[in-house]
Amino acid sequence: MSPQKTKELLANSLPCVVAMEGCASFHYWARTAESFGHEVKGMAPKKVKPYISNQKTDANDAVGIAVASAQLGMTFCQVKTLSQQNIQAIQTSRKWFDRATTSLGNHIRALCFEYGATIPFGKKSLRESISYFISPESSHLPIPIKQLLMILWQ
């Protein structure tokens, strides 16, 4: 079903329980369903998996989600508000960016070390060393590697 058809279905249906498996767009669709008066029950995929039989298809998934949502003791996830989702997106992006910059710094150190140029640990040492190694006065690294480091550093 296209997103537009899904919205039309939610808009034209009487308020009911909408059970969903938690996925990348869960909170968006949950808020959309709630805006049309539906009660949303979201479940973690690992909670739904035991109720899906046969091969993984959309139809089998839908049946499994429906059965799982009716089970006694099933735990459901809270629908995040837009501001809660914004905060989560910022936090997870910050963590990703921090890991990515650490990884890139380690990659740059390793490249330089391949040519005998060592860079001490720490952001300040990396910044100072790269400035020196890519400068025209430095003869530690070949020009193609200096150009590569300039791109990576930017």
Side-chain angles (χ1 to χ4, degrees), residues 104 106-119 126 129-136 138-154:
L104 180 59
N106 291 337
H107 178 70
I108 289 171
R109 280 185 178 86
L111 279 174
C112 290
F113 195 53
E114 291 282 332
Y115 294 90
T118 58
I119 300 175
L126 180 63
S129 297
I130 286 298
S131 295
Y132 169 71
F133 288 137
I134 62 176
S135 69
S138 172
S139 61
H140 283 84
L141 302 171
I143 291 174
I145 299 306
K146 284 183 176 186
Q147 291 170 338
L148 173 62
L149 287 175
M150 281 187 238
I151 292 167
L152 292 173
W153 187 245
Q154 288 174 348

